[in-house]
Amino acid sequence: MITLLLMIVLIILVGGLTRLTDSGLSITTWELFAGTLPPLTSDKWIEYFDLYKTIPEYKEQNFNMTLDEFKVIFWWEWAHRQLGRLIGLTVLLPLIYFTIKNGVSILKEYSIIFFLVCFQGFIGWYMVSSGLVDRVDVSHYRLSLHLVTAFIILSIVFWKYLNLTDVKINQINIKLNSIKLFFVLLFLQIIIGAFVSGMDAGKIYNTWPLMGSSFFPDDSMIADLFNITVFDDQSLVQFIHRNLAYLIFIIYLYILYLVLKKGNINLRTPIFVIGIALLSQIFLGILTLLSGVKMLYASLHQINSILIILSTLYFLYIAKYK
């Protein structure tokens, strides 16, 4: 489970870099099994490159790309797909082994992980296919679904790992509603963050704390926040992402107050870890904006979100024993 957890963290990292380097459309076919080996001959490289030349991203955006430049984006997407295959095997093979050894109870407990990994592979192709015909990028809605599914798998694996340990803290006088709300808002922020990434919304309004010269983007109206197309507007998506971060931090302060006032002393270190991760995330988000979305800051911003989710899950796990 630890190995699987680390592999999921790695594939989220590689997936984020695949997006940041605009590499996700470099392989234009599904290749469930055939793509396991990379191109080994010049003819095969040219074949992949010729397929890439047929999609809008090449025709409208990368029409000056050379074969060597194509190889760079190809390797990112290929590595991402290979990690997906390895994760599938890392789930499937132990699932078969322990089911034979320990019985069908293993299937009942862990098969959900395998089905979600398979579903994630399908969603990955569903996302890629959205950028092959009428647009130069993938759908930010499908990108968000792909990312959130990865975090759901990460969360389930970590929770089941915790169930295999003896980590428990008893007699905690703290209600869990605020913690659950905090966790739900974190996932909502991941969704909005994927929208920001998918629409390149972080490349506009590269100022903070104001968006340009005002708190609200001056190219939009407040009424637009209630429009059905709100999540297709770069400015509004960035505005929501910023302000949801403030809301999450306020709720964290409330939980911190509860822990310091009523909580078991053993909860203090976990809640402080969440706070450090949260402050780091806000700082990295600001750096990402001010830098015009430099790859280093944007990648660290995504990696740190994993730490926030895992530390919150750990806190929720130990706090549920009352």
Side-chain angles (χ1 to χ4, degrees), residues 54-205:
T54 65
I55 68 172
E57 182 179 82
Y58 175 84
K59 293 177 180 178
E60 300 177 28
Q61 184 173 294
N62 294 334
F63 47 84
N64 289 324
M65 178 177 280
T66 64
L67 178 59
D68 286 339
E69 290 170 333
F70 170 73
K71 288 180 180 180
V72 174
I73 65 171
F74 177 92
W75 283 120
W76 278 115
E77 174 63 9
W78 183 83
H80 188 55
R81 294 191 183 198
Q82 289 305 108
L83 277 171
R85 292 183 175 103
L86 286 174
I87 288 172
L89 291 175
T90 303
V91 177
L92 178 61
L93 297 181
L95 190 64
I96 293 172
Y97 172 78
F98 285 111
T99 299
I100 294 171
K101 183 179 179 181
N102 298 92
V104 294
S105 60
I106 296 296
L107 276 179
K108 293 178 181 178
E109 182 71 20
Y110 295 100
S111 60
I112 181 63
I113 300 173
F114 178 70
F115 287 122
L116 281 173
V117 168
C118 292
F119 177 71
Q120 178 72 325
F122 168 76
I123 291 299
W125 174 246
Y126 179 64
M127 176 190 67
V128 168
S129 65
S130 67
L132 299 181
V133 182
D134 298 319
R135 47 192 301 157
V136 297
D137 238 326
V138 299
S139 163
H140 57 287
Y141 293 107
R142 299 187 190 185
L143 174 67
S144 179
L145 178 60
H146 192 50
L147 181 62
V148 168
T149 303
F151 272 90
I152 290 172
I153 297 171
L154 178 79
S155 300
I156 291 173
V157 169
F158 187 57
W159 193 268
K160 289 189 178 297
Y161 164 73
L162 290 175
N163 281 334
L164 296 172
T165 69
D166 58 356
V167 178
K168 292 179 176 67
I169 297 177
N170 296 309
Q171 298 178 345
I172 297 170
N173 299 314
I174 179 172
K175 292 184 178 180
L176 295 180
N177 291 339
S178 56
I179 307 169
K180 292 176 181 177
L181 174 61
F182 179 77
F183 189 67
V184 169
L185 288 177
L186 288 179
F187 263 81
L188 180 59
Q189 183 71 315
I190 289 170
I191 293 171
I192 302 300
F195 288 170
V196 171
S197 177
M199 299 170 66
D200 290 324
K203 294 182 178 180
I204 58 174
Y205 290 107

Side-chain angles (χ1 to χ4, degrees), residues 222-283:
I222 292 178
D224 293 335
L225 284 170
F226 306 98
N227 195 304
I228 194 171
T229 60
V230 61
F231 296 117
D232 295 316
D233 186 306
Q234 288 177 302
S235 300
L236 293 179
V237 165
Q238 189 190 125
F239 174 80
I240 293 169
H241 192 54
R242 288 181 181 221
N243 288 277
L244 188 53
Y246 302 146
L247 176 61
I248 288 171
F249 187 67
I250 290 170
I251 293 175
Y252 166 77
L253 292 177
Y254 174 68
I255 298 171
L256 177 63
Y257 164 76
L258 291 179
V259 171
L260 294 180
K261 183 180 180 181
K262 302 178 181 180
N264 187 302
I265 192 172
N266 293 311
L267 282 176
R268 293 185 180 181
T269 297
I271 197 65
F272 287 144
V273 170
I274 295 173
I276 293 169
L278 200 58
L279 286 172
S280 299
Q281 186 73 342
I282 293 171
F283 177 70

